[in-house]
Amino acid sequence: MSRRQTLLATAERSPAAVAAHDKQAWLDVFTDGGVVNDPVGSAPHRGRDRLGRFYDTFIAPNTVTFHPEHDIVCDDVVVRDLTLEITMSDAVTLFVPAHLRYEMASPDRIASLHAHWELPAMVGQMLGTGVSSAPVSLRLSTLLIRNQGLAGTAGFARGFVRVGAAHKRKAVEHLESKHPDWTAGKCIAAGNFVTVSMRRGGEHAVAMIEFAKGSITGDRLFAEQREHDS
């Protein structure tokens, strides 16, 4: 396989293990000091023990299906533009737009996974199912306390704090000015980041814009075989 195919195959091992509910296979995709920041803005999980607790809390009780739209390989990074289908019970299935960034330690191991999706929107979608959300919410709360403790639960709640609609508009305006030949699409705000799906003819990219105190402090456009930094 080409290097691109190898990196994509390694990234794909993570959702494949999730679909199979194979905890060991999922853990083995990451390095021993691997990091999962899911969603971006919440407290990261680092190391095998913490990743195991993350799995037990958020993956084991659910059925998660990945619906990829575009996969981008740029140097040692794989970015997936996709929608997550999360079945939490017979009555609660959520569809979550996301950008996933896999930083590779080697062609066959992942150093870190950064999942950009909007926690408030997901919770709102869940609560929109009405009384069906009550047992799901109770189960999640119980698993959070049991597996993450109070500190971990508070760390997860940090995912509710994020940049807002004004930052999304500023990010898109910045991208349209800097990359006028690209068209902005799906836009996600998670933590201090706004991530944007980009298209130019038949090409696809994902831009990741970082903010601090309302100002843009970082700008990366991940496109096939190249990465633009400001």
Side-chain angles (χ1 to χ4, degrees):
M1 291 193 297
S2 68
R3 186 172 182 279
R4 179 184 188 278
Q5 291 172 321
T6 299
L7 293 177
L8 277 176
T10 298
E12 180 59 33
R13 284 167 55 199
S14 174
V18 168
H21 281 91
D22 189 334
K23 179 180 179 180
Q24 190 65 44
W26 185 77
L27 290 172
D28 287 345
V29 179
F30 294 90
T31 60
D32 290 342
V35 176
V36 169
N37 191 190
D38 187 354
V40 168
S42 63
H45 302 260
R46 183 184 301 274
R48 201 170 184 84
D49 177 67
R50 299 306 303 176
L51 293 192
R53 292 173 182 270
F54 173 89
Y55 182 98
D56 292 340
T57 306
F58 301 107
I59 299 177
N62 303 313
T63 298
V64 184
T65 304
F66 291 62
H67 297 289
E69 298 162 27
H70 306 289
D71 290 328
I72 298 161
V73 178
C74 183
D75 297 328
D76 293 324
V77 179
V78 175
V79 177
R80 309 198 79 185
D81 186 342
L82 76 170
T83 298
L84 300 172
E85 179 182 352
I86 306 172
T87 300
M88 305 185 80
S89 73
D90 290 341
V92 179
T93 297
L94 311 177
F95 292 89
V96 181
H99 295 124
L100 305 183
R101 185 175 89 250
Y102 297 86
E103 304 278 353
M104 298 299 185
S106 66
D108 61 351
R109 300 291 292 280
I110 298 170
S112 61
L113 163 61
H114 305 269
H116 296 261
W117 53 272
E118 299 185 354
L119 179 57
M122 190 207 76
V123 171
Q125 192 180 152
M126 182 177 71
L127 294 177
T129 64
V131 295
S132 299
S133 67
V136 171
S137 298
L138 177 60
R139 183 185 69 199
L140 177 57
S141 298
T142 301
L143 289 173
L144 273 167
I145 295 297
R146 179 189 303 162
N147 297 324
Q148 310 291 331
L150 292 176
T153 300
F156 173 71
R158 282 166 44 189
F160 286 98
V161 180
R162 62 194 178 105
V163 295
H167 297 83
K168 286 184 177 182
R169 290 192 295 270
K170 184 178 288 189
V172 170
E173 290 170 359
H174 171 79
L175 291 168
E176 289 176 341
S177 174
K178 185 174 181 179
H179 305 289
D181 51 340
W182 289 87
T183 301
K186 179 172 74 181
C187 196
I188 295 171
N192 292 326
F193 285 86
V194 172
T195 57
V196 185
S197 299
M198 304 289 287
R199 181 173 181 174
R200 181 175 63 183
E203 295 180 85
H204 298 274
V206 172
M208 298 191 172
I209 311 297
E210 186 172 10
F211 286 85
K213 298 180 179 180
S215 298
I216 294 174
T217 58
D219 170 0
R220 305 175 75 183
L221 180 69
F222 291 92
E224 207 53 54
Q225 300 301 319
R226 60 189 178 189
E227 176 184 313
H228 302 282
D229 286 12
S230 62

